[in-house]
Amino acid sequence: MNQRYGDISFEDRMAQVDFRVAEEPHIVVDTDVCRSCTTKACVHACPANLFVPTAEGGILFNYEQCFECGTCYLVCDGGDAISWSYPDGGQGVVFRHG
Amino acid sequence: MRERAGPASTAVIVDQPRRPDFDAIVVGAGPAGSAAALELARAGHSVALLERGPFPGAKNVYGGVVYGRVLDELIPRWYDEMPVQRWVTRRQTMVLDGERSMTVDFRSQNWGSAPYNGATTYRAEFDEWLAGHAQKAGAVLVPSTVATRLLRTESGRIVGVRTDRPDGDLTATVVIACDGVNSFLAKQAGLVPGDQAAHTTLGVKETLALPRKTIDERFGVSANEGVDIEMLGCTQGIPGGGFLYTNAETLSVGLVLGLRGLAESGRRPEEILAELKRHPSIQPLVRGAELVEYSAHLIPEGGYDTMPRLVGDGLLVAGDAAAMCLAAGIWLEGVNFALGSGMYAGRAAASALAAGDLAGLREYKRLLESSFVLADHKKLRKAPGLVLSERMQRRYPGLVCDLVEGMFTVENPRPKPGVRKLLRASAKRHGVTLRELARDALTGLRTFG
Amino acid sequence: MAARAWCSGMADPLVVVLLRWTDARARIDPLSGEVESDPRGAGPSEADRCALEHGLRIAEAAGGRCVAVTLAPEEATELLRDALACGADAVLRVAVAPWDPRVPDSGAATARALATAIRAELGEPSLVLTGDHSADRGTGSTPAFLAAELDCAQALGLVRLSYADGELRALRRLDRGRRERLAIPLPAVCSVEPAGLRLRRASLPSTLAARTAAIPVVAGTVEAEPVTAHAARPLRPRAKELPAPREADPRLRLLRLTGAHEEREPPRVVVTDDPAEAADELLDYLRGKGYL
């Protein structure tokens, strides 16, 4: 709620982007690995804000509004914690002004 | 188990196909892939052009300007038909520090008429246009299809790709991987060395709508002329930079952030972008504009020294997949290198196919070296290191602004200080020794000279 | 009628699936109200995709042909290629001029153009399938007009559709969670809701074949009946007449009119931090309304 005048909320920002949501997730996080991760870089580095830390130290993840950039698996310190792939052909983000 | 393309995917071992489905498969209908497919199809070879998005360009984001000169070789008078938003006639390099900024502003009306120089565009339109040329030449575009794995024989020759469609194996004599910065195919072929996160940056971009007239007035341009601004010192100390360019009725403003620096900073990308948009030099340009799209994409910024091997057995790598992005501070180019590398990959593949000898694929490397694609990268191989260095990112923007502020602040009755004295003082204030300054200047001269 | 139906053992029943080419993410200018659409994002709606899947399955079960038809400008060719790749035996585009916002919608004209083209190019259909609110600009009137044009039965709002032993059976969604089981006589026009199944993913060989296939086109027109303006005045909806309540006591009549003391489900605001609880609430609501 610390939104400044002139900014738009993150939800509104993402609402401007066309996502064709696939039936199956293309990101799966092994939260057991996350519990021992101290940095949790994916949480703030993901430009779509898909990763949310939970109180138990794990990670809650979404795949629906993913830009498919690959930042999360590249910054992940936990080795194989994030199983990442492109969504099925034709699904996922569709940029019009990229 | 559904077929997917990711960091964990591996090549499939298959038998040598007796009769391949196509002469060549090009994976990815971006500028590199479409240029490659166009060359191959024109040479009379059968080509499948695979694209994972619903249309070419759907997954692609770029940071400012398409320099289309290399298209002279592919499409005569391309500038008459290419989907252009504005032709860049004004180019600025801006150094920001706190609430200050120093800008070098160059304008040339020569760039606003044929044969032009750089253009701004939407990738959905540009990529589709180029893929359309490849299709007209005879390439078969297959959209909404992910190439998940390479098909490889026991002996290591690449003979095709597996796709995520049912019954999805596709074979060819040559595969050209133009599958972008994450290039899982180049990785499966074992061509990619080292730590990708260290030399990859994240680009985030907002496209903001403004009336055409407002853009013309704010940026001092008219008709189809446009502006491209490259920025340094706007990333809160994270190695990277910023950009702002004009489209017909939108602005695109964005940041490029080194992944390692971003991960360590604990900052969110859109927050840093919001701060840039509040800078007194940027805020008046973007004020009142309405967000029409937010986008993000990775950029391979490591340059020549981080490129994968470009030729495998039956496989060529081009475009972002081959790290063909030139991020050298004053030059920020990528689409032209993708076009060039794709074109030469297509050309090398076509002649290898015609000769019936895949050893001819090695010609690709030679074509690249004798052209701008690798010549520029080789020459500027030290540039990414210099531009993304701690001094360039965190100290020089403040130093430059201090120096210029000192020069133009009139403190009468005190007489004007000498530039040398100002330089020494501001260097000291920012913890830069004159020796370091001289060394970086020399590296800069050697790199760019 | 029965002579036309496939259950009579007539060879080669024809299942026509009508696909409406539309941009589901069209932008509307908040000031001018102008609609901006982008052919790149356009395609069939989810309901139409469901209709195609139904069509493919029914044609397979009946040993007939499934043909995808759209009434759209040239950009819609991609949509037909996708239908071919998914397994449609043939496709047809009824060419019309690009959408002109000044021309009024007409489900009747759309239906007429479609019926004419289908009869001329494909013959008498045994079953016409479409998504709910399809074929024209989503007025929802086209299937009814089409049934009239083709002189056959109509069923709409279908959530399930199956063909077995020469009989077409369907489940229709009604309000308040009710369902209606239908045995649909053939020939028929059926419109389906986006529920129950998803369009199959096309195989690579059929996708490749569809990429270079010729897409037949016939010219069509959707000239709407000219609108005659009888009078121009501000819109003043007429007062709605309600029968007077039967109660003898004026106070009771008044209460009845205001709706006070009447049994009904009060609106509720559900606030929960627990995602599982929130999901249960949503599911209960959807079940209650008959969506699940």
Side-chain angles (χ1 to χ4, degrees):
Chain A
M1 297 305 109
N2 50 2
Q3 189 185 324
R4 297 199 206 184
Y5 178 75
D7 283 359
I8 62 165
S9 73
F10 197 79
E11 288 70 26
D12 286 347
R13 171 185 293 274
M14 297 306 284
Q16 299 301 318
V17 191
D18 184 358
F19 292 102
R20 303 184 182 173
V21 180
E23 268 176 292
E24 284 181 33
H26 64 280
I27 304 173
V28 178
V29 181
D30 181 354
T31 56
D32 289 339
V33 182
C34 302
R35 267 180 212 120
S36 60
C37 174
T38 51
T39 50
K40 295 200 173 43
C42 59
V43 171
H44 61 262
C46 169
N49 205 2
L50 295 179
F51 302 90
V52 183
T54 62
E56 298 87 59
I59 293 279
L60 197 65
F61 66 97
N62 301 294
Y63 74 96
E64 290 87 347
Q65 295 194 317
C66 174
F67 288 126
E68 300 154 35
C69 65
T71 299
C72 55
Y73 82 85
L74 283 177
V75 300
C76 178
D77 286 335
D80 297 331
I82 301 179
S83 326
W84 195 91
S85 64
Y86 288 135
D88 292 346
Q91 307 291 340
V93 70
V94 178
F95 292 124
R96 310 294 172 87
H97 303 280
Chain B
M1 177 67 197
R2 201 177 282 227
E3 287 290 337
R4 291 191 182 280
S9 53
T10 51
V12 196
I13 307 292
V14 295
D15 292 334
Q16 175 77 37
R18 214 166 296 155
R19 211 173 153 274
D21 302 317
F22 284 90
D23 291 335
I25 298 169
V26 180
V27 181
S34 291
L38 180 56
E39 278 284 323
L40 277 159
R42 281 200 183 142
H45 300 291
S46 65
V47 194
L49 178 57
L50 306 184
E51 168 58 42
R52 70 184 184 92
F55 53 83
K59 305 286 183 184
N60 299 349
V61 183
Y62 83 128
V65 187
V66 175
Y67 297 98
R69 190 82 293 124
V70 63
L71 283 173
D72 284 344
E73 286 191 46
L74 285 172
I75 302 160
R77 295 190 73 82
W78 50 274
Y79 38 81
D80 289 338
E81 47 169 291
M82 172 179 143
V84 167
Q85 289 291 319
R86 286 175 186 259
W87 292 102
V88 175
T89 57
R90 200 177 163 196
R91 199 181 184 300
Q92 302 184 347
T93 302
M94 190 185 276
V95 179
L96 296 89
D97 177 66
E99 297 204 313
R100 305 176 298 174
S101 71
M102 208 276 296
T103 306
V104 179
D105 181 358
F106 179 73
R107 181 193 289 264
S108 170
Q109 294 308 104
N110 294 334
W111 294 343
S113 55
Y116 298 100
N117 183 42
T120 61
T121 184
Y122 294 138
R123 290 293 295 276
E125 292 174 6
F126 177 79
D127 291 16
E128 198 173 51
W129 165 73
L130 198 63
H133 270 281
Q135 277 180 282
K136 260 179 264 164
V140 181
L141 174 71
V142 191
S144 300
T145 305
V146 187
T148 54
R149 303 168 80 174
L150 287 172
L151 303 182
R152 209 175 58 188
T153 63
E154 207 67 70
S155 70
R157 169 155 293 181
I158 310 297
V159 292
V161 295
R162 177 165 289 179
T163 69
D164 69 336
R165 286 190 181 275
D167 203 1
D169 284 4
L170 197 61
T171 56
T173 313
V174 181
V175 175
I176 303 182
C178 306
D179 51 341
V181 54
N182 282 303
S183 189
F184 300 122
L185 296 189
K187 282 172 194 157
Q188 285 173 23
L191 301 179
V192 183
D195 174 15
Q196 206 187 355
H199 42 78
T200 302
T201 58
L202 170 67
V204 290
K205 180 166 92 172
E206 285 183 6
T207 306
L208 304 162
L210 274 180
R212 177 185 279 269
K213 224 178 110 214
T214 311
I215 293 178
D216 288 352
E217 280 166 6
R218 285 188 191 178
F219 290 87
V221 288
S222 54
N224 58 357
E225 301 165 2
V227 180
D228 171 45
I229 308 174
E230 312 285 0
M231 290 170 259
L232 196 66
C234 53
T235 48
Q236 315 288 321
I238 300 168
F243 57 86
L244 195 167
Y245 59 89
T246 56
N247 302 305
E249 291 183 314
T250 59
L251 307 176
S252 294
V253 56
L255 287 175
V256 173
L257 304 164
L259 277 189
R260 278 283 143 76
L262 176 65
E264 282 156 19
S265 73
R267 301 290 310 270
R268 288 206 48 76
E270 77 279 357
E271 284 171 11
I272 308 170
L273 183 54
E275 247 154 85
L276 170 63
K277 284 168 68 190
R278 279 197 291 271
H279 189 279
S281 296
I282 304 300
Q283 201 266 345
L285 301 175
V286 301
R287 185 170 45 211
E290 187 203 351
L291 182 76
V292 290
E293 194 170 84
Y294 175 53
S295 49
H297 209 282
L298 291 184
I299 311 163
E301 286 213 351
Y304 188 78
D305 294 331
T306 62
M307 281 182 186
R309 279 194 291 131
L310 301 172
V311 183
D313 192 359
L315 179 77
L316 297 176
V317 188
D320 272 7
M324 299 281 181
C325 240
L326 187 69
I330 50 174
W331 291 298
L332 287 166
E333 300 170 18
V335 176
N336 51 337
F337 286 101
L339 289 168
S341 59
M343 179 178 83
Y344 292 126
R347 211 168 276 177
S351 54
L353 283 167
D357 180 10
L358 286 187
L361 290 180
R362 282 199 292 272
E363 176 71 2
Y364 173 47
K365 189 88 194 289
R366 204 196 55 75
L367 285 170
L368 293 180
E369 271 163 356
S370 61
S371 75
F372 75 103
V373 182
L374 277 185
D376 285 1
H377 269 107
K378 212 175 213 170
K379 188 170 160 194
L380 294 166
R381 66 196 297 170
K382 294 262 181 286
L386 182 66
V387 172
L388 297 177
S389 71
E390 198 263 341
R391 276 198 294 282
M392 190 64 94
Q393 289 285 329
R394 297 193 185 188
R395 296 173 198 247
Y396 290 162
L399 191 150
V400 166
C401 287
D402 272 6
L403 184 67
V404 178
E405 188 164 8
M407 280 167 69
F408 295 118
T409 306
V410 177
E411 296 196 50
N412 297 348
R414 260 168 60 187
K416 287 193 195 310
V419 174
R420 211 179 318 165
K421 192 177 159 203
L422 276 173
L423 181 64
R424 205 171 297 142
S426 40
K428 197 172 169 196
R429 200 171 315 138
H430 293 277
V432 181
T433 64
L434 288 185
R435 176 189 293 240
E436 285 170 321
L437 200 57
R439 201 173 54 213
D440 284 343
L442 197 64
T443 317
L445 265 180
R446 282 204 191 117
T447 307
F448 296 105
Chain C
M1 281 299 108
R4 270 208 274 152
W6 56 38
C7 45
S8 62
M10 202 173 110
D12 201 20
L14 174 66
V15 179
V16 173
V17 181
L18 301 177
L19 300 171
R20 173 172 167 245
W21 183 73
T22 179
D23 181 4
R25 281 191 62 94
R27 299 177 76 91
I28 299 164
D29 189 317
L31 291 180
S32 66
E34 217 164 275
V35 181
E36 266 175 60
S37 62
D38 178 358
R40 273 178 218 93
S45 67
E46 200 50 47
D48 281 2
R49 293 164 63 84
C50 266
L52 179 56
E53 182 62 38
H54 279 299
L56 293 170
R57 289 183 187 192
I58 291 170
E60 214 169 284
R65 295 197 321 142
C66 177
V67 184
V69 179
T70 188
L71 178 116
E74 205 199 330
E75 291 93 325
T77 305
E78 284 295 308
L79 165 157
L80 293 179
R81 287 198 193 286
D82 289 347
L84 266 183
C86 283
D89 297 289
V91 294
L92 176 67
R93 182 168 71 84
V94 186
V96 288
W99 182 52
D100 181 352
R102 288 163 303 176
V103 178
D105 289 355
S106 170
T110 305
R112 203 174 310 130
L114 281 168
T116 312
I118 290 169
R119 278 203 170 116
E121 303 297 319
L122 308 169
E124 287 294 334
S126 314
L127 176 64
V128 178
L129 282 167
T130 179
D132 250 10
H133 297 269
S134 286
D136 59 1
R137 246 156 285 143
T139 61
S141 59
T142 305
F145 281 118
L146 199 62
E149 286 285 338
L150 296 172
D151 189 20
C152 59
Q154 192 214 352
L156 53 98
L158 307 181
V159 288
R160 219 180 287 161
L161 193 60
S162 60
Y163 175 82
D165 307 325
E167 250 188 282
L168 188 64
R169 294 187 172 277
L171 195 65
R172 180 170 177 232
R173 187 175 72 77
L174 301 176
D175 287 347
R176 293 178 176 273
R178 295 192 191 109
R179 294 283 190 275
E180 189 177 37
R181 286 181 203 289
L182 304 173
I184 302 169
L186 294 168
V189 175
C190 297
S191 37
V192 301
E193 296 206 341
L197 76 178
R198 275 197 169 216
L199 180 58
R200 63 191 69 180
R201 183 133 168 87
S203 77
L204 186 67
S206 62
T207 305
L208 283 170
R211 296 306 300 169
T212 44
I215 304 293
V217 182
V218 290
T221 45
V222 275
E223 306 261 313
E225 288 76 19
V227 178
T228 329
H230 294 292
R233 58 184 172 81
L235 175 69
R236 294 216 174 82
R238 260 181 294 174
K240 198 174 173 187
E241 278 179 49
L242 287 172
R246 295 218 181 100
E247 279 76 1
D249 181 358
R251 194 184 74 89
L252 284 178
R253 281 210 296 279
L254 200 65
L255 277 177
R256 177 56 62 117
L257 278 175
T258 58
H261 300 321
E262 263 179 51
E263 188 94 10
R264 67 181 156 202
E265 200 185 330
R268 305 185 292 143
V269 179
V270 182
V271 181
T272 171
D273 280 338
D274 180 20
E277 219 172 283
D280 285 342
E281 274 298 336
L282 276 171
L283 286 173
D284 282 347
Y285 176 84
L286 291 173
R287 245 176 242 127
K289 293 286 170 189
Y291 287 99
L292 293 178

